[in-house]
Structures are given as structure tokens and as C-alpha cells.
Amino acid sequence: MTTRTETHFTPVEQDLYAKAFQLLDPTPEPVALAAPAVSSPVSVILAAGPVHRPGPVEETLSDALAFLDTRGWAKHRLIHPEGARCSIGALRAAAGARNAAYRDAGRLLLDEARRQHGQHWEAIPAWNDSHTGPQVRSVWEAAIQRAHHQNI
């Protein structure tokens, strides 16, 4: 079966857009073509640079810290009866599953805990249970910053 396609286009009048805008606004305000005094919205957007979009690790860490901020932080148990969680419990809640983002966020958090509190920590729960709330929060914030700078 042969299908024919026509590639002939109807020529468009060059001033079509100018005429259309003139019909929409018959008395436009004159626009100076020299250097504008005010930046156009497009130039402002372009000058602002790209918007940061957090990667899955940064997002998981940020969501877990937000979970700790809203539900509370706990020691010596994964989930407190009132809803507070330890660091690993918050990480699990934020990730939703033990996926790649969960594992990478956990590695980064433990790495930052070791950087701040010594290399002897083998697991997040032991480190979490041995430190104060401000010390734990400091590690979370630093891990989020590292994930942000690494764009992960």
C-alpha cells in the first residue's frame, strides 16, 4: 500500500504576525529599540540561572529531616509509640522503600556521622542512640548539604 504525503505548504505572508498584533491592539505604545531601561521578564529569568532540582538522595534526606522535625526524634527504638522515630526510622519513612535513594542516603548520613563523630560508628542506629538531638541534627543538615553539592 502506498501512502502519498503532500509536502507543499501554503506560503505565509511575512507580516502576518505584525498585522495580527495590530488588530489586537490598534494603538500600541511605542517601544524603544535602543537599550531598554527595564529588563524584560525573559532576560530576568535567564539571568537568574537554572533552578536547583534536588536529586533522590537529597530529597530523601530532606524529607526524613522534615519527618523528624514534625513527628519527633527518638533514641533506642525505631518508632516511638507517639510517632517519633530514630534516624533510620525517619529515613525509612521518607524513602518509602529500601530503594537506591534509601541506601545512598543512609551511606551519606553514616559517612557524615563518621566525619563529625569518629570513624568507629558501624551503623546509623548505634550512632543515633549515642548522641544528642543537636548533634544528630547537625549530621543530617551536613549530609543534605553534601547531597545538594554533589547533585545526588
Side-chain angles (χ1 to χ4, degrees):
M1 182 164 141
T2 305
T3 305
R4 289 189 54 152
T5 57
E6 295 292 325
T7 58
H8 301 286
F9 296 101
T10 306
V12 178
E13 187 177 333
Q14 295 296 329
D15 297 327
L16 180 65
Y17 289 109
K19 288 180 182 178
F21 286 120
Q22 187 178 24
L23 289 173
L24 292 171
D25 188 9
T27 56
E29 296 179 21
V31 177
L33 296 178
V38 178
S39 298
S40 71
V42 173
S43 64
V44 170
I45 291 170
L46 293 175
V51 174
H52 172 73
R53 295 186 183 174
V57 173
E58 180 185 354
E59 192 170 2
T60 299
L61 289 167
S62 296
D63 290 349
L65 183 57
F67 188 93
L68 292 174
D69 287 342
T70 58
R71 301 275 180 93
W73 171 70
K75 282 185 169 188
H76 307 293
R77 26 174 87 189
L78 188 65
I79 304 171
H80 190 273
E82 294 177 7
R85 292 186 180 221
C86 71
S87 290
I88 200 74
L91 199 56
R92 287 180 184 171
R98 293 184 186 180
N99 54 26
Y102 166 80
R103 287 187 297 276
D104 292 343
R107 280 190 216 115
L108 186 61
L109 186 65
L110 184 58
D111 185 57
E112 186 59 35
R114 288 173 176 158
R115 193 182 74 67
Q116 289 189 28
H117 300 287
Q119 294 295 318
H120 60 282
W121 298 107
E122 294 184 26
I124 292 171
W127 160 78
N128 179 84
D129 295 348
S130 300
H131 292 85
T132 66
Q135 289 172 321
V136 170
R137 182 171 189 82
S138 171
V139 168
W140 276 96
E141 290 172 348
I144 291 167
Q145 284 302 311
R146 284 178 60 190
H148 176 85
H149 290 300
Q150 294 175 13
N151 201 27
I152 57 173

